[in-house]
Amino acid sequence: MKYVQTTCPYCGTGCSFNLVVDKGIVTGVAPYQRSPVNEGKLCPKGTYAHEFINNPDRLKKPLIKKDGKFVEASWDEALKLVAEKFKSYKPDECACLASARVSNEDNYAMMKFARGVLKTKHIDHCARLCHASTVAGLANIFGSGAMTNSIGDIAESKCVFIIGSNTFECHPLIGRRVMQAKAKGAKVIYADPRYTPTGKQADLYLQFRSGTDVALLNGMMQEIIRNGWENKEFIQNRCNGFDELKKEVMKDDYSLENVSKITGVPADKIKTAAEWFAKSGASAILYSMGITQHTTGVDNVKSCGNLQMLTGNLGRPGTGVNALRGQNNVQGACDMGCLPVVYTAYQKVIDEAAQKKFADGWKFPDGIAKGENGYEVTTLMNVLTEKPGEIKCLYIMGENPMISDPDLTHVEHALKTLDFLVVQDIFLNETAEFADVVLPAACYAEKDGTQTSTERRVQMWRKAQNPPGEAKGDWEIIASIAAKMGYGAQFPWKTSEDVFNEMASLTPSYAGMTYERLNRPEALHWPCPTTDHPGTPILHTEKFGMPDGKGLMTGIPFKWPQEVPDSEYPFVLTTGRSIWQWHTGTMTRRSASLEREEPTGWVEINTEDAKKLGIADKEKVKAKTRRGEITIPARVTPDIMPGVVFIPFHYAECAANVLTINALDPIAKIPESKACAVKIEKIAEAK
Ligand SMILES: Nc1nc2c(c(=O)[nH]1)N[C@H]1C(S)=C(S)[C@@H](COP(=O)(O)OP(=O)(O)OC[C@H]3O[C@@H](n4cnc5c(=O)[nH]c(N)nc54)[C@H](O)[C@@H]3O)O[C@H]1N2
Ligand SMILES: Nc1nc2c(c(=O)[nH]1)N[C@H]1C(S)=C(S)[C@@H](COP(=O)(O)OP(=O)(O)OC[C@H]3O[C@@H](n4cnc5c(=O)[nH]c(N)nc54)[C@H](O)[C@@H]3O)O[C@H]1N2
Ligand code: SF4
Ligand SMILES: [Mo]
């Protein structure tokens, strides 16, 4: 028996644990006490992170679709077919989806493959559905799109304002830091349409209507300015745009009375929230999908930034705009340039110097993709249905859009227009059903690599067992396809460390990192530009990453979601997560200990609303939108705001995304997964 220390494959908190290995097979998880992130503690997903690894459903051999059926193939046959097909398309007829579930090395390889081998400008991944608003919004006002403070630092806060984050279910080990702050006397304010387990620990709960965040935040800011609670010195020395912000938020639209009408929060609660937040001395904002997944996602993010600049809560312990990144390596997949506009470390593809740097660094004899922005995954799905034939070929690594993208009927149409689809995954997921070739990948426990957590901490995965059957590491698969296409020289790597070192040489914020330096409990936070640099746990301590070093305040007018309730579809539908399940369920639904807890989906509906519709708890009902309908058990509860219903999106048999709207934020192109109009119907009893 041995212990192999590694980091969790689920959320962006980045907890560490030991994998217990018995006779070469992973059999359990044991605590690793020395991690400064989780100090040996784990949430249920971490505790059972071994259970899916050796599930019999793991993909073990490549599959090729022949006459509509998958048949097992040798690697040689599969690679040959993929290479031939890939070579037959023009560069921009191909698109690649990278993955927030795989390592930095795997993502870097995919980015290089897309831009260097396929020479396509179209590469993106699920960050689009997640924190695209954060990346765009925070970069615009602070010059960097990442979480500003560290996780441990949250425990130093005097007032934690959680808005649109169900921290205790989705980032449980960050939730622990909130409780530590509370134990030291911090006030916790929670804004969410649902009175979640997170909300139940708060000192002040603001129950509000989905999609009214900007109104709520502007209302708080008006109250702060009217009472003179703003941090004048911080605004004067470190920010631009105060007059513009003030002009907007002081409008009568954002008086306590009006904001109360729009949001549904009683005026006195908004006032108390504003006062606690402005006067605490160190106030932190924690946010996640409740803020970002809106057609106003970028506006919502900038409003959080506005509140922090107005009150001077940036660049110090216990403060900050803490965008909690979701997937284990979504921060890393973005850092690795798996976005349609940047190379690694956000070096813009339209910047000629960056374009030259990568072309020179990679040495493809026939050049690399043009320095133009490509399609976001959400735009890509629209192009597939609206301009069939423009994109013919899609290579998806570690994503499951047939459950996770909005409006699944639309996604299905889109995927069916493709001439050639390759899916590389650890399980045969719902998307793979549409594939021409499926490639079996090794999971986190079967490979070395690094991943970057929400606090920009770059930590290691360490191989604990061999992959099942003939499955291989993701970057190795990518490199073998490249070799078959004649680009072996550009993918010469023997180990993950080789990939990392090449990446670091082209990536300023990772340039000072090596496997040797990362191989310690605290690892390193980027930016870490040189090998003697200690890393950077807190951003913006003295100046922002803007050209003049100042943060940018902006006036943000409130806008309603694209689709609001009417007499036909009278409820707001919002969607999200449960502590027991992970996204499309490929891993958690194959973990017996997790699946047992919440084995199917539900629609949460307020007790009063349910009474009016004659619906009882656990009764199966129909949920219908303009996109589609599902049958799903009701969960009748006083904890959700009247007029709002909630469905978790984990379950294929009652998939929330059959219902959701494919409406996008104009800048971030993130879908409005958190608000559309829905009707709930009692199913007529059979006579
Ligand atoms: N157990 C578990 N943990 C996870 C994940 C998982 O699948 N399962 N996924 C990970 C990923 S990728 C991500 S991105 C994070 C997401 O983490 P969270 O954002 O915390 O999770 P969600 O459940 O999507 O949404 C959070 C809350 O937003 C509320 N909400 C809905 N509409 C609105 C609104 O209009 N405004 C506001 N302010 N709030 C609203 C919902 O009621 C919900 O309680 O979780 C990560 N952690
Ligand atoms: N309605 C609604 N929809 C949403 C959201 C919402 O709140 N509401 N949230 C959105 C958000 S924030 C996110 S992040 C997305 C997530 O959307 P996805 O990323 O599509 O969801 P996952 O289930 O995490 O899919 C990841 C895939 O990676 C595979 N995988 C795991 N490990 C590996 C590996 O090592 N190698 C390879 N090759 N594959 C691997 C898994 O088996 C799975 O098929 O969903 C989005 N969709
Ligand atoms: S909090 Fe996140 S990283 Fe930590 S054990 Fe749970 S899922 Fe894993
Ligand atoms: Mo996410």
Side-chain angles (χ1 to χ4, degrees), residues 573-627:
L573 167 66
T574 193
T575 61
R577 298 159 164 81
S578 133
I579 189 169
W580 306 103
Q581 296 286 1
W582 190 263
H583 297 159
T584 71
T586 61
M587 290 145 70
T588 48
R589 300 199 77 184
R590 290 186 177 88
S591 297
S593 311
L594 300 171
E595 173 71 357
R596 186 170 63 214
E597 297 289 336
E598 264 167 357
T600 193
W602 66 88
V603 53
E604 245 164 71
I605 181 165
N606 180 272
T607 317
E608 293 304 315
D609 290 333
K611 205 188 275 172
K612 282 181 215 149
L613 295 169
I615 291 169
D617 192 37
K618 300 200 175 71
E619 176 177 336
K620 279 203 171 168
V621 298
K622 266 208 171 108
K624 244 188 218 177
T625 65
R626 292 182 175 87
R627 274 71 54 196

Short mmCIF file of all heavy atoms in Angstrom, two decimals, residues 573-627:
data_model
loop_
_atom_site.label_atom_id
_atom_site.label_comp_id
_atom_site.label_asym_id
_atom_site.label_seq_id
_atom_site.Cartn_x
_atom_site.Cartn_y
_atom_site.Cartn_z
N LEU A 573 -37.17 30.84 -14.11
CA LEU A 573 -36.41 29.60 -13.89
C LEU A 573 -34.95 29.95 -13.66
O LEU A 573 -34.33 30.63 -14.49
CB LEU A 573 -36.50 28.68 -15.12
CG LEU A 573 -35.50 27.52 -15.13
CD1 LEU A 573 -35.78 26.52 -14.01
CD2 LEU A 573 -35.49 26.80 -16.48
N THR A 574 -34.41 29.48 -12.54
CA THR A 574 -32.97 29.58 -12.37
C THR A 574 -32.42 28.18 -12.15
O THR A 574 -33.15 27.27 -11.78
CB THR A 574 -32.59 30.59 -11.27
OG1 THR A 574 -31.19 30.86 -11.38
CG2 THR A 574 -32.87 30.09 -9.86
N THR A 575 -31.14 27.98 -12.46
CA THR A 575 -30.55 26.64 -12.44
C THR A 575 -29.24 26.67 -11.67
O THR A 575 -28.70 27.75 -11.42
CB THR A 575 -30.26 26.15 -13.87
OG1 THR A 575 -29.32 27.05 -14.46
CG2 THR A 575 -31.51 26.08 -14.72
N GLY A 576 -28.74 25.50 -11.29
CA GLY A 576 -27.47 25.48 -10.56
C GLY A 576 -27.15 24.08 -10.09
O GLY A 576 -27.43 23.11 -10.80
N ARG A 577 -26.61 23.99 -8.86
CA ARG A 577 -25.94 22.77 -8.42
C ARG A 577 -26.37 22.24 -7.07
O ARG A 577 -26.94 22.97 -6.28
CB ARG A 577 -24.44 23.09 -8.34
CG ARG A 577 -23.88 23.47 -9.65
CD ARG A 577 -22.59 24.26 -9.50
NE ARG A 577 -21.90 24.26 -10.77
CZ ARG A 577 -22.22 25.07 -11.77
NH1 ARG A 577 -23.16 25.98 -11.63
NH2 ARG A 577 -21.60 25.00 -12.93
N SER A 578 -25.98 20.99 -6.82
CA SER A 578 -26.15 20.38 -5.51
C SER A 578 -24.77 19.96 -5.03
O SER A 578 -23.88 19.68 -5.85
CB SER A 578 -27.05 19.15 -5.66
OG SER A 578 -26.50 18.05 -4.98
N ILE A 579 -24.59 19.89 -3.71
CA ILE A 579 -23.27 19.53 -3.18
C ILE A 579 -22.83 18.13 -3.61
O ILE A 579 -21.65 17.84 -3.74
CB ILE A 579 -23.24 19.67 -1.63
CG1 ILE A 579 -21.80 19.53 -1.11
CG2 ILE A 579 -24.17 18.67 -0.94
CD1 ILE A 579 -21.61 19.89 0.35
N TRP A 580 -23.80 17.24 -3.87
CA TRP A 580 -23.48 15.83 -4.12
C TRP A 580 -23.10 15.54 -5.57
O TRP A 580 -22.53 14.49 -5.85
CB TRP A 580 -24.66 14.93 -3.75
CG TRP A 580 -25.11 15.17 -2.36
CD1 TRP A 580 -26.23 15.87 -1.96
CD2 TRP A 580 -24.46 14.75 -1.15
NE1 TRP A 580 -26.29 15.90 -0.59
CE2 TRP A 580 -25.23 15.22 -0.07
CE3 TRP A 580 -23.30 14.02 -0.89
CZ2 TRP A 580 -24.88 14.99 1.25
CZ3 TRP A 580 -22.95 13.80 0.42
CH2 TRP A 580 -23.73 14.28 1.48
N GLN A 581 -23.51 16.40 -6.49
CA GLN A 581 -23.31 16.07 -7.90
C GLN A 581 -22.38 17.06 -8.58
O GLN A 581 -22.24 18.20 -8.12
CB GLN A 581 -24.66 16.06 -8.64
CG GLN A 581 -25.63 14.98 -8.16
CD GLN A 581 -25.24 13.56 -8.61
OE1 GLN A 581 -24.23 13.35 -9.28
NE2 GLN A 581 -26.05 12.59 -8.23
N TRP A 582 -21.81 16.61 -9.67
CA TRP A 582 -20.90 17.47 -10.44
C TRP A 582 -21.41 17.58 -11.87
O TRP A 582 -21.44 16.60 -12.60
CB TRP A 582 -19.48 16.90 -10.44
CG TRP A 582 -18.52 17.89 -11.00
CD1 TRP A 582 -18.04 17.96 -12.27
CD2 TRP A 582 -17.96 19.00 -10.31
NE1 TRP A 582 -17.23 19.05 -12.41
CE2 TRP A 582 -17.16 19.71 -11.22
CE3 TRP A 582 -18.08 19.48 -8.99
CZ2 TRP A 582 -16.47 20.87 -10.87
CZ3 TRP A 582 -17.39 20.63 -8.65
CH2 TRP A 582 -16.59 21.30 -9.58
N HIS A 583 -21.82 18.76 -12.24
CA HIS A 583 -22.19 19.07 -13.63
C HIS A 583 -23.00 17.97 -14.28
O HIS A 583 -24.05 17.59 -13.82
CB HIS A 583 -20.95 19.37 -14.48
CG HIS A 583 -20.25 20.57 -13.99
ND1 HIS A 583 -18.96 20.84 -14.26
CD2 HIS A 583 -20.68 21.60 -13.23
CE1 HIS A 583 -18.62 21.98 -13.68
NE2 HIS A 583 -19.64 22.45 -13.04
N THR A 584 -22.43 17.40 -15.38
CA THR A 584 -23.21 16.48 -16.20
C THR A 584 -23.17 15.06 -15.62
O THR A 584 -23.62 14.12 -16.25
CB THR A 584 -22.74 16.52 -17.66
OG1 THR A 584 -21.45 15.89 -17.76
CG2 THR A 584 -22.61 17.96 -18.15
N GLY A 585 -22.59 14.93 -14.44
CA GLY A 585 -22.71 13.69 -13.67
C GLY A 585 -21.83 12.54 -14.12
O GLY A 585 -21.93 11.45 -13.55
N THR A 586 -20.97 12.75 -15.11
CA THR A 586 -20.21 11.59 -15.63
C THR A 586 -19.43 10.91 -14.51
O THR A 586 -19.31 9.69 -14.49
CB THR A 586 -19.24 11.97 -16.76
OG1 THR A 586 -18.29 12.90 -16.24
CG2 THR A 586 -19.96 12.58 -17.95
N MET A 587 -18.91 11.71 -13.57
CA MET A 587 -18.10 11.13 -12.50
C MET A 587 -18.92 10.90 -11.22
O MET A 587 -18.88 9.81 -10.64
CB MET A 587 -16.90 12.05 -12.22
CG MET A 587 -15.89 12.03 -13.38
SD MET A 587 -15.04 13.60 -13.71
CE MET A 587 -13.98 13.78 -12.30
N THR A 588 -19.68 11.91 -10.78
CA THR A 588 -20.39 11.76 -9.50
C THR A 588 -21.53 10.74 -9.58
O THR A 588 -21.83 10.07 -8.60
CB THR A 588 -20.95 13.10 -9.01
OG1 THR A 588 -21.63 13.76 -10.08
CG2 THR A 588 -19.84 13.99 -8.51
N ARG A 589 -22.15 10.62 -10.75
CA ARG A 589 -23.23 9.64 -10.84
C ARG A 589 -22.67 8.22 -10.91
O ARG A 589 -23.41 7.25 -10.80
CB ARG A 589 -24.16 9.95 -12.02
CG ARG A 589 -24.79 11.35 -11.87
CD ARG A 589 -26.01 11.54 -12.71
NE ARG A 589 -27.17 10.89 -12.14
CZ ARG A 589 -28.36 10.86 -12.74
NH1 ARG A 589 -28.51 11.41 -13.94
NH2 ARG A 589 -29.38 10.26 -12.17
N ARG A 590 -21.35 8.12 -11.10
CA ARG A 590 -20.69 6.81 -11.02
C ARG A 590 -19.94 6.64 -9.69
O ARG A 590 -19.08 5.78 -9.57
CB ARG A 590 -19.75 6.63 -12.21
CG ARG A 590 -20.52 6.46 -13.53
CD ARG A 590 -19.58 6.15 -14.68
NE ARG A 590 -20.32 5.92 -15.91
CZ ARG A 590 -20.67 6.87 -16.76
NH1 ARG A 590 -20.35 8.13 -16.53
NH2 ARG A 590 -21.33 6.57 -17.87
N SER A 591 -20.24 7.53 -8.74
CA SER A 591 -19.68 7.38 -7.38
C SER A 591 -20.84 7.01 -6.48
O SER A 591 -21.68 7.86 -6.16
CB SER A 591 -19.08 8.70 -6.90
OG SER A 591 -18.02 9.08 -7.71
N ALA A 592 -20.90 5.76 -6.06
CA ALA A 592 -22.09 5.26 -5.34
C ALA A 592 -22.42 6.13 -4.13
O ALA A 592 -23.58 6.45 -3.89
CB ALA A 592 -21.86 3.81 -4.93
N SER A 593 -21.40 6.55 -3.38
CA SER A 593 -21.67 7.29 -2.14
C SER A 593 -22.31 8.65 -2.42
O SER A 593 -23.03 9.17 -1.57
CB SER A 593 -20.38 7.52 -1.36
OG SER A 593 -19.67 6.32 -1.24
N LEU A 594 -22.04 9.23 -3.57
CA LEU A 594 -22.61 10.54 -3.91
C LEU A 594 -23.97 10.39 -4.56
O LEU A 594 -24.94 11.06 -4.20
CB LEU A 594 -21.66 11.30 -4.84
CG LEU A 594 -20.26 11.59 -4.29
CD1 LEU A 594 -19.36 12.16 -5.38
CD2 LEU A 594 -20.33 12.57 -3.12
N GLU A 595 -24.05 9.49 -5.53
CA GLU A 595 -25.28 9.29 -6.30
C GLU A 595 -26.44 8.90 -5.38
O GLU A 595 -27.58 9.33 -5.56
CB GLU A 595 -25.03 8.23 -7.39
CG GLU A 595 -26.25 7.77 -8.17
CD GLU A 595 -26.82 8.81 -9.14
OE1 GLU A 595 -26.30 9.94 -9.20
OE2 GLU A 595 -27.80 8.48 -9.83
N ARG A 596 -26.12 8.10 -4.37
CA ARG A 596 -27.12 7.65 -3.40
C ARG A 596 -27.86 8.83 -2.75
O ARG A 596 -29.04 8.77 -2.46
CB ARG A 596 -26.36 6.86 -2.33
CG ARG A 596 -27.19 6.18 -1.28
CD ARG A 596 -26.31 5.25 -0.46
NE ARG A 596 -25.28 5.97 0.28
CZ ARG A 596 -24.06 5.47 0.53
NH1 ARG A 596 -23.70 4.29 0.09
NH2 ARG A 596 -23.19 6.17 1.22
N GLU A 597 -27.15 9.94 -2.51
CA GLU A 597 -27.73 11.05 -1.78
C GLU A 597 -28.80 11.80 -2.57
O GLU A 597 -29.83 12.18 -2.03
CB GLU A 597 -26.62 12.05 -1.38
CG GLU A 597 -25.58 11.47 -0.45
CD GLU A 597 -26.12 11.21 0.95
OE1 GLU A 597 -27.09 11.86 1.35
OE2 GLU A 597 -25.55 10.33 1.64
N GLU A 598 -28.53 12.03 -3.84
CA GLU A 598 -29.50 12.76 -4.67
C GLU A 598 -29.52 12.14 -6.05
O GLU A 598 -28.90 12.64 -6.99
CB GLU A 598 -29.15 14.26 -4.71
CG GLU A 598 -29.94 15.02 -3.66
CD GLU A 598 -29.45 16.43 -3.40
OE1 GLU A 598 -28.43 16.85 -3.99
OE2 GLU A 598 -30.09 17.11 -2.60
N PRO A 599 -30.26 11.01 -6.19
CA PRO A 599 -30.17 10.22 -7.41
C PRO A 599 -30.94 10.77 -8.60
O PRO A 599 -30.81 10.22 -9.68
CB PRO A 599 -30.70 8.85 -6.98
CG PRO A 599 -31.58 9.13 -5.82
CD PRO A 599 -31.05 10.35 -5.15
N THR A 600 -31.74 11.82 -8.44
CA THR A 600 -32.35 12.42 -9.64
C THR A 600 -32.65 13.89 -9.37
O THR A 600 -32.50 14.36 -8.23
CB THR A 600 -33.61 11.66 -10.10
OG1 THR A 600 -33.95 12.12 -11.42
CG2 THR A 600 -34.80 11.91 -9.18
N GLY A 601 -33.06 14.59 -10.43
CA GLY A 601 -33.28 16.03 -10.32
C GLY A 601 -34.59 16.39 -9.66
O GLY A 601 -35.38 15.52 -9.27
N TRP A 602 -34.83 17.70 -9.50
CA TRP A 602 -36.07 18.18 -8.88
C TRP A 602 -36.25 19.64 -9.28
O TRP A 602 -35.29 20.29 -9.72
CB TRP A 602 -35.98 18.06 -7.36
CG TRP A 602 -34.93 18.96 -6.75
CD1 TRP A 602 -35.07 20.25 -6.35
CD2 TRP A 602 -33.55 18.64 -6.52
NE1 TRP A 602 -33.89 20.76 -5.87
CE2 TRP A 602 -32.94 19.78 -5.96
CE3 TRP A 602 -32.78 17.48 -6.72
CZ2 TRP A 602 -31.58 19.82 -5.62
CZ3 TRP A 602 -31.42 17.54 -6.37
CH2 TRP A 602 -30.84 18.69 -5.83
N VAL A 603 -37.48 20.10 -9.13
CA VAL A 603 -37.71 21.54 -9.31
C VAL A 603 -38.15 22.10 -7.96
O VAL A 603 -39.12 21.63 -7.35
CB VAL A 603 -38.74 21.84 -10.44
CG1 VAL A 603 -40.04 21.07 -10.28
CG2 VAL A 603 -39.03 23.34 -10.52
N GLU A 604 -37.38 23.07 -7.48
CA GLU A 604 -37.69 23.71 -6.20
C GLU A 604 -38.74 24.78 -6.45
O GLU A 604 -38.56 25.64 -7.30
CB GLU A 604 -36.42 24.40 -5.69
CG GLU A 604 -35.87 23.83 -4.42
CD GLU A 604 -34.44 24.29 -4.19
OE1 GLU A 604 -34.22 25.47 -3.88
OE2 GLU A 604 -33.53 23.45 -4.36
N ILE A 605 -39.84 24.73 -5.69
CA ILE A 605 -40.91 25.71 -5.87
C ILE A 605 -41.40 26.13 -4.49
O ILE A 605 -41.45 25.33 -3.56
CB ILE A 605 -42.04 25.11 -6.75
CG1 ILE A 605 -43.16 26.14 -6.96
CG2 ILE A 605 -42.60 23.81 -6.20
CD1 ILE A 605 -44.12 25.76 -8.09
N ASN A 606 -41.71 27.42 -4.38
CA ASN A 606 -42.13 27.97 -3.09
C ASN A 606 -43.46 27.35 -2.64
O ASN A 606 -44.36 27.09 -3.45
CB ASN A 606 -42.25 29.49 -3.19
CG ASN A 606 -42.69 30.11 -1.88
OD1 ASN A 606 -43.88 30.22 -1.61
ND2 ASN A 606 -41.73 30.46 -1.05
N THR A 607 -43.59 27.16 -1.33
CA THR A 607 -44.77 26.51 -0.75
C THR A 607 -46.08 27.18 -1.19
O THR A 607 -47.05 26.48 -1.54
CB THR A 607 -44.67 26.56 0.79
OG1 THR A 607 -43.33 26.25 1.16
CG2 THR A 607 -45.59 25.58 1.45
N GLU A 608 -46.10 28.50 -1.20
CA GLU A 608 -47.33 29.22 -1.58
C GLU A 608 -47.65 28.99 -3.05
O GLU A 608 -48.79 28.78 -3.43
CB GLU A 608 -47.17 30.74 -1.30
CG GLU A 608 -47.07 31.07 0.18
CD GLU A 608 -48.26 30.53 0.98
OE1 GLU A 608 -49.41 30.70 0.52
OE2 GLU A 608 -48.03 29.91 2.05
N ASP A 609 -46.62 29.07 -3.90
CA ASP A 609 -46.82 28.84 -5.35
C ASP A 609 -47.33 27.42 -5.59
O ASP A 609 -48.23 27.20 -6.41
CB ASP A 609 -45.50 29.03 -6.12
CG ASP A 609 -45.07 30.49 -6.17
OD1 ASP A 609 -45.95 31.38 -6.10
OD2 ASP A 609 -43.85 30.74 -6.29
N ALA A 610 -46.77 26.47 -4.88
CA ALA A 610 -47.16 25.07 -5.05
C ALA A 610 -48.62 24.88 -4.64
O ALA A 610 -49.39 24.17 -5.30
CB ALA A 610 -46.24 24.16 -4.23
N LYS A 611 -49.00 25.55 -3.56
CA LYS A 611 -50.37 25.44 -3.07
C LYS A 611 -51.34 25.93 -4.15
O LYS A 611 -52.33 25.27 -4.46
CB LYS A 611 -50.52 26.27 -1.79
CG LYS A 611 -51.66 25.77 -0.89
CD LYS A 611 -51.93 26.70 0.27
CE LYS A 611 -51.04 26.45 1.47
NZ LYS A 611 -51.21 27.51 2.50
N LYS A 612 -51.01 27.09 -4.76
CA LYS A 612 -51.89 27.64 -5.80
C LYS A 612 -52.04 26.68 -6.98
O LYS A 612 -53.08 26.61 -7.60
CB LYS A 612 -51.33 28.98 -6.30
CG LYS A 612 -51.63 30.13 -5.35
CD LYS A 612 -51.07 31.44 -5.91
CE LYS A 612 -50.59 32.30 -4.76
NZ LYS A 612 -49.46 33.16 -5.11
N LEU A 613 -50.96 25.97 -7.29
CA LEU A 613 -51.01 25.05 -8.43
C LEU A 613 -51.50 23.66 -8.02
O LEU A 613 -51.61 22.76 -8.85
CB LEU A 613 -49.62 24.93 -9.07
CG LEU A 613 -49.07 26.19 -9.73
CD1 LEU A 613 -47.60 26.02 -10.08
CD2 LEU A 613 -49.86 26.56 -10.97
N GLY A 614 -51.74 23.47 -6.75
CA GLY A 614 -52.18 22.17 -6.26
C GLY A 614 -51.11 21.09 -6.36
O GLY A 614 -51.39 19.92 -6.59
N ILE A 615 -49.87 21.51 -6.17
CA ILE A 615 -48.75 20.57 -6.31
C ILE A 615 -48.21 20.19 -4.93
O ILE A 615 -47.97 21.04 -4.09
CB ILE A 615 -47.63 21.21 -7.16
CG1 ILE A 615 -48.11 21.34 -8.60
CG2 ILE A 615 -46.35 20.39 -7.08
CD1 ILE A 615 -47.20 22.18 -9.46
N ALA A 616 -48.03 18.88 -4.73
CA ALA A 616 -47.51 18.40 -3.45
C ALA A 616 -46.01 18.10 -3.58
O ALA A 616 -45.51 17.91 -4.69
CB ALA A 616 -48.25 17.14 -3.04
N ASP A 617 -45.33 18.05 -2.45
CA ASP A 617 -43.91 17.71 -2.42
C ASP A 617 -43.70 16.34 -3.08
O ASP A 617 -44.50 15.42 -2.88
CB ASP A 617 -43.43 17.68 -0.97
CG ASP A 617 -41.92 17.64 -0.88
OD1 ASP A 617 -41.25 18.29 -1.70
OD2 ASP A 617 -41.41 16.95 0.03
N LYS A 618 -42.66 16.20 -3.86
CA LYS A 618 -42.28 14.95 -4.55
C LYS A 618 -43.19 14.58 -5.73
O LYS A 618 -42.95 13.60 -6.43
CB LYS A 618 -42.20 13.76 -3.59
CG LYS A 618 -41.19 13.95 -2.46
CD LYS A 618 -40.81 12.61 -1.85
CE LYS A 618 -39.75 12.75 -0.81
NZ LYS A 618 -40.17 13.38 0.45
N GLU A 619 -44.27 15.35 -5.94
CA GLU A 619 -45.17 15.05 -7.07
C GLU A 619 -44.45 15.38 -8.38
O GLU A 619 -43.77 16.39 -8.50
CB GLU A 619 -46.42 15.93 -6.91
CG GLU A 619 -47.41 15.81 -8.04
CD GLU A 619 -48.67 16.66 -7.78
OE1 GLU A 619 -48.99 16.95 -6.61
OE2 GLU A 619 -49.32 17.03 -8.78
N LYS A 620 -44.63 14.51 -9.39
CA LYS A 620 -44.01 14.80 -10.70
C LYS A 620 -44.81 15.87 -11.43
O LYS A 620 -46.04 15.78 -11.51
CB LYS A 620 -43.96 13.53 -11.54
CG LYS A 620 -42.79 12.67 -11.15
CD LYS A 620 -42.39 11.74 -12.27
CE LYS A 620 -41.08 11.07 -11.90
NZ LYS A 620 -40.75 9.97 -12.77
N VAL A 621 -44.11 16.88 -11.95
CA VAL A 621 -44.77 17.97 -12.66
C VAL A 621 -44.09 18.19 -14.01
O VAL A 621 -43.03 17.61 -14.28
CB VAL A 621 -44.71 19.29 -11.85
CG1 VAL A 621 -45.43 19.13 -10.52
CG2 VAL A 621 -43.26 19.74 -11.64
N LYS A 622 -44.72 19.03 -14.84
CA LYS A 622 -44.09 19.40 -16.10
C LYS A 622 -43.50 20.79 -15.96
O LYS A 622 -44.16 21.69 -15.45
CB LYS A 622 -45.15 19.43 -17.21
CG LYS A 622 -45.22 18.15 -17.94
CD LYS A 622 -45.70 18.32 -19.37
CE LYS A 622 -45.51 16.98 -20.03
NZ LYS A 622 -46.78 16.31 -20.28
N ALA A 623 -42.27 20.97 -16.40
CA ALA A 623 -41.68 22.31 -16.50
C ALA A 623 -41.52 22.59 -17.99
O ALA A 623 -40.95 21.77 -18.72
CB ALA A 623 -40.34 22.35 -15.80
N LYS A 624 -42.07 23.74 -18.43
CA LYS A 624 -42.12 24.03 -19.87
C LYS A 624 -41.61 25.43 -20.15
O LYS A 624 -42.00 26.37 -19.45
CB LYS A 624 -43.60 24.02 -20.28
CG LYS A 624 -43.98 22.94 -21.27
CD LYS A 624 -45.40 23.17 -21.74
CE LYS A 624 -46.09 21.83 -21.89
NZ LYS A 624 -47.49 21.95 -22.27
N THR A 625 -40.77 25.57 -21.16
CA THR A 625 -40.39 26.91 -21.62
C THR A 625 -40.61 26.97 -23.12
O THR A 625 -41.06 26.00 -23.73
CB THR A 625 -38.90 27.23 -21.34
OG1 THR A 625 -38.10 26.35 -22.14
CG2 THR A 625 -38.55 27.08 -19.88
N ARG A 626 -40.24 28.10 -23.72
CA ARG A 626 -40.38 28.23 -25.18
C ARG A 626 -39.43 27.29 -25.92
O ARG A 626 -39.56 27.10 -27.11
CB ARG A 626 -40.13 29.68 -25.61
CG ARG A 626 -41.22 30.61 -25.11
CD ARG A 626 -41.03 32.06 -25.56
NE ARG A 626 -42.18 32.86 -25.15
CZ ARG A 626 -42.28 33.46 -23.96
NH1 ARG A 626 -41.31 33.36 -23.08
NH2 ARG A 626 -43.38 34.14 -23.65
N ARG A 627 -38.45 26.68 -25.21
CA ARG A 627 -37.49 25.78 -25.86
C ARG A 627 -37.90 24.31 -25.74
O ARG A 627 -37.55 23.51 -26.60
CB ARG A 627 -36.09 25.92 -25.25
CG ARG A 627 -35.21 27.01 -25.82
CD ARG A 627 -35.62 28.39 -25.47
NE ARG A 627 -35.76 28.62 -24.05
CZ ARG A 627 -36.39 29.66 -23.53
NH1 ARG A 627 -36.95 30.57 -24.29
NH2 ARG A 627 -36.48 29.80 -22.22
#
